[in-house]
Amino acid sequence: MVASTFPPSRDAALARLVRFVPGAGRRYEAGRNTDAGPDLPGAVSRLSPFVRYRLIDETEVVAQVLAQHDFQAAEKFVQEVLWRTYWKGWLEMRPSVWAHFLEERDRQRDSFPAARALTAAETGCTGIDGFDDWARELVETGYLHNHARMWFASIWIFTLRLPWSLGADFFLRHLLDADAASNTLSWRWVAGLQTPGKTYLATEDNIARHTNGRFAPKGLAREAIALTQEPVAAAQTLPEPAPHDPGRPSLLLVTHEDMHPEAVFGGSLDIRSVLVAADPGLLWGDGAQHFVGTAAADTAIRARAHFGCPAHLIERLDAQTLIDAAAVSGARQIVTPYAPVGPVADALARLAPSLATAGITLVQKRRAWDSRFWPHAKKGFFPFKEKIPALLRESGLI
Ligand SMILES: Cc1cc2nc3c(=O)[nH]c(=O)nc-3n(C[C@H](O)[C@H](O)[C@H](O)COP(=O)(O)OP(=O)(O)OC[C@H]3O[C@@H](n4cnc5c(N)ncnc54)[C@H](O)[C@@H]3O)c2cc1C
């Protein structure tokens, strides 16, 4: 079911985008909050696993949408795409929030006493209408509608009173689009940690209305009192990646953080060979591992044709593999699309010193889209949103 719903290739992503674009205007705006169920067509795009691994990227999604709709008509959709950009930029400037989430998750895993309640929630055995269905849908399909994610997280935190970090972990282990920024910060937002004091409360009426009456859960929490924690440190300056040396023989490393290297590195680099890493140890769940493994094979074929050099798959992102591959191809520099906060960025930071010892520089290149939007994610989404039209104009998209 997962593979047929989300075939992991760039062609499949482009085909889905083409089918979706005519509905990206008023149809999306009117229908996007309705979750008709996994087997019925809805108004949303279901592009998220493709966008998550950048088999297709935000620039081309927004460009194609704005080629068919004026900005006012497609504003809601464009804003949703930019929620992802906003979360990525926000976390990039506050990496400690990710580190704290991991610590909190591990602490709760080791000490949470109500193991049975946790298992009931994860296996869809709580008796709560809708919630149990979403738990099973998530495990079976690797996808949930945005509204279902919000209801699920709210019920998890405020009705079942389970730790938010274990809910976020459950999502990470099963979502195909599992993402350090979008997932962690959305769970924090529901819990009232992201916008301090502002929580999201799931109600029976809202669920019944937006599931076309499929579900009407009884006994939900009537209030959602915000969780509390130490205040988050102020935003740090966005780290600026060092520039690459265009004249140096290079090895191109592709990770699952950006699987469309053709859009990141033009023809100006002397690329001798390509490595596409699909390291299961840097992903959380079987579904995402399978998706990325297949997408990596697709990416290697595209990279070979585009860069005109050998492209190989690797299953472990470690220093020795990279050093050996660089030696074979005569590369003195490894270039890679920028890895945002998360396991890949951590792995690159760990292996960079060994590469340096071997005389190889590791250079990350950030996309123009990210460099343009991320610096504006310092505060809440509202001030960010206000800047969207001007930034799209600067990008030449409106
Ligand atoms: C608790 C919770 C956890 C989440 N975890 C993730 C996650 O791990 N990975 C992830 O990609 N999204 C996550 N989201 C955001 C959102 O639910 C999904 O991106 C969206 O449901 C994807 O479906 P779609 O492609 O049909 O969306 P569409 O409505 O068609 O939106 C188009 C694209 O915009 C982006 N987008 C839309 N809504 C959001 C949003 N609220 N936040 C961030 N990006 C958005 C996605 O890239 C999406 O593909 C989470 C939301 C919640 C409430």
Side-chain angles (χ1 to χ4, degrees), residues 28 45-48 80-81 143 146 149 177 179 183 186:
Y28 178 83
S45 69
R46 291 177 176 243
L47 279 168
S48 56
E80 291 305 311
V81 172
Y143 175 86
N146 181 58
R149 296 184 201 205
D177 61 33
D179 179 77
N183 190 60
S186 297

Side-chain angles (χ1 to χ4, degrees), residues 99-112:
H100 286 153
F101 158 69
L102 294 175
E103 281 163 25
E104 173 68 6
R105 178 201 63 179
D106 293 348
R107 193 181 65 77
Q108 291 287 2
R109 265 187 191 163
D110 293 345
S111 64
F112 185 63

Side-chain angles (χ1 to χ4, degrees), residues 9-86:
S9 74
R10 176 161 162 80
D11 282 351
L14 290 171
R16 178 161 301 190
L17 177 62
V18 167
R19 282 198 305 277
F20 169 73
V21 166
R26 304 283 178 221
R27 178 170 184 270
Y28 178 83
E29 186 176 357
R32 73 188 183 92
N33 279 326
T34 299
D35 180 8
D39 302 320
L40 287 176
V44 296
S45 69
R46 291 177 176 243
L47 279 168
S48 56
F50 306 104
V51 177
R52 156 68 182 93
Y53 303 108
R54 281 192 156 161
L55 281 167
I56 191 168
D57 62 64
E58 294 90 330
T59 314
E60 55 192 338
V61 170
V62 170
Q64 289 208 30
V65 165
L66 293 177
Q68 283 193 34
H69 303 272
D70 61 36
F71 178 66
Q72 279 69 29
E75 186 170 8
K76 207 66 223 169
F77 179 73
V78 172
Q79 271 172 15
E80 291 305 311
V81 172
L82 278 151
W83 262 107
R84 174 186 142 82
T85 305
Y86 168 75

